[in-house]
Amino acid sequence: AQKITQTQPGMFVQEKEAVTLDCTYDTSDQSYGLFWYKQPSSGEMIFLIYQGSYDEQNATEGRYSLNFQKARKSANLVISASQLGDSAMYFCAMREGGGGGADGLTFGKGTHLIIQP
Amino acid sequence: EPEVTQTPSHQVTQMGQEVILRCVPISNHLYFYWYRQILGQKVEFLVSFYNNEISEKSEIFDDQFSVERPDGSNFTLKIRSTKLEDSAMYFCASRWGAEAFFGQGTRLTVV
């Protein structure tokens, strides 16, 4: 089974609208972290936001928020007031086993977001 | 702002040749990683390195691959005998806390 599932291969959104990128995950660990990264066409991986499994509040970073629903094992990224510069690939990722270990990230297949003027 | 630096940005190599990809992680970070991304696909974990030894590796990281941290700053990935299917973007990452910071990547093309 996929550990990270992103069901939207591509999305078109009008500028200034809010957008929700879906992510569901699968783990039997109690302690894990969830991450979103942005990959523009230039190729670099840009960290956006992190949510720990024990965090009760949804994480927010500027225009980004993570809608964490633990019982449903979902960690959707919400971008408010989208901008043309938000056009990119977005990857959801998970690290199992808590924040203190050296475990690597497992990534989803990504969502290609295109913001239209 | 400190960043992870990778060199070279592009490398073209003949099949069967050895390549070394270089990374300078952020200086106070403790955990170091290599990932790869085949064109148009998702990012895949290769190996993690902590306390001067490999902590975890994926099934992709076979005997053709090795990592070293030869001094206090560099972190290298060596591919001993490259194959066509090793063509990919290779990312180095480092972290101290929860989030990992990625370098800009090395695009490796095996011909």
Side-chain angles (χ1 to χ4, degrees), chain B residues 53-108:
Chain B
E53 60 183 19
I54 290 175
S55 181
E56 185 189 14
K57 56 186 181 179
S58 72
E59 60 271 14
I60 302 169
F61 194 88
D62 61 22
D63 291 345
Q64 295 290 346
F65 292 89
S66 62
V67 289
E68 271 192 338
R69 189 158 158 79
D71 52 42
S73 59
N74 292 287
F75 181 50
T76 62
L77 174 70
K78 183 192 292 185
I79 309 175
R80 265 182 263 287
S81 177
T82 49
K83 304 189 275 281
L84 294 176
E85 54 265 37
D86 293 327
S87 295
M89 180 77 94
Y90 288 82
F91 290 105
C92 173
S94 70
R95 55 178 273 258
W96 178 82
E99 62 265 32
F101 294 92
F102 283 69
Q104 79 278 21
T106 293
R107 182 163 296 287
L108 177 66

